[in-house]
Amino acid sequence: MKQRSLLLFILIAPLTVIAQQERKGWYAALGPGYGSYTLDLYNYNGGASSYADQHFTEPVIWLGIEKKSVLQRSRFILDAGGELTGGFALSTRSTVSGPSADKKSNGWSLGVHGLVKAGYTLGTQHIIVPLLGAGPYFISLQTGSGDEGYSSRIYGAQGYAGVDFVLKRITVTPQVHFGIASWGNSDKQIGKADNTQNGQPSMLEAGIKVALKL
């Protein structure tokens, strides 16, 4: 039994190394997704606190560059890279100290992600690579325009989960970004003072990305 296992390892190991070498390199990536973000804010004015929640939803586009298999040990690999994000048709729902809500749907966003991802390669010729990662992020959300417009920001550390499906020079990746330690603020006024963070913001982006080996 041990001899069969050793023989199988000897046969498969070279194929795994070859497949990883084919994957290794720089990639440019592009893909659509959908984002959901929240801010929990409050203000203290003359002995009374005003609370405000902001909830944002929007389609997003990811544009990134990364190096795959920066490090590799047997089937374990490490990737690193970054993404620019752009959102459109941003829908914003703001609630201030009560049931009344202000809704706007003509906003946009810009953001940046930095990521280091660890994975484990499955298969031989067509590699499947589950990935987990983390890194910093920053997202600026613009609601409305003119005198009624305001900016909000969410930033901090994010987590990442995805799966690479490698087809020669092209990699298809369903992926999820989520906030794990976040902060935020907004230019939208509550009373006479600036907003202060009341609770940790949330960030969730999910979609699919296609990467081309350069």
Side-chain angles (χ1 to χ4, degrees):
M1 186 66 179
K2 291 183 178 180
Q3 291 179 341
R4 289 182 181 178
S5 298
L6 179 61
L7 179 60
L8 184 62
F9 175 79
I10 292 173
L11 291 174
I12 291 177
L15 295 176
T16 302
V17 172
I18 292 171
Q20 286 197 23
Q21 289 298 329
E22 290 179 352
R23 180 182 185 272
K24 186 175 183 178
W26 286 97
Y27 288 74
L30 180 68
Y34 198 80
S36 176
Y37 322 93
T38 60
L39 272 174
D40 181 6
L41 306 170
Y42 81 96
N43 220 344
Y44 186 76
N45 293 308
S49 295
S50 297
Y51 293 87
D53 296 324
Q54 294 179 19
H55 181 63
F56 310 90
T57 55
E58 64 174 356
V60 296
I61 298 293
W62 294 306
L63 176 63
I65 187 166
E66 64 179 325
K67 189 170 185 180
K68 295 185 182 294
S69 299
V70 175
L71 296 174
Q72 56 188 54
R73 294 291 184 273
S74 184
R75 288 181 174 267
F76 291 94
I77 57 92
L78 196 68
D79 298 345
E83 296 173 343
L84 296 176
T85 68
F88 56 95
L90 175 69
S91 176
T92 305
R93 184 178 187 273
S94 302
T95 304
V96 180
S97 290
S100 61
D102 176 31
K103 297 181 180 180
K104 295 184 182 298
S105 58
N106 59 339
W108 51 272
S109 74
L110 288 174
V112 61
H113 296 156
L115 283 169
V116 175
K117 299 176 286 187
Y120 184 83
T121 60
L122 304 175
T124 53
Q125 294 181 353
H126 300 286
I127 304 176
I128 300 174
V129 188
L131 294 159
L132 294 175
Y137 80 95
F138 175 88
I139 300 171
S140 176
L141 302 133
Q142 181 65 45
T143 297
S145 60
D147 294 337
E148 295 183 355
Y150 58 91
S151 297
S152 305
R153 291 155 292 276
I154 301 176
Y155 52 91
Q158 65 168 320
Y160 173 91
V163 181
D164 275 4
F165 294 92
V166 183
L167 306 171
K168 294 185 178 180
R169 296 178 61 85
I170 295 176
T171 302
V172 179
T173 308
Q175 61 179 15
V176 177
H177 298 259
F178 52 93
I180 52 178
S182 301
W183 295 266
N185 52 66
S186 177
D187 295 339
K188 184 177 177 64
Q189 298 294 305
I190 308 174
K192 298 179 181 179
D194 292 336
N195 298 331
T196 302
Q197 182 172 305
N198 185 50
Q200 182 172 247
S202 67
M203 182 275 280
L204 179 65
E205 294 178 349
I208 191 166
K209 180 177 65 178
V210 178
L212 176 65
K213 189 173 184 180
L214 302 176

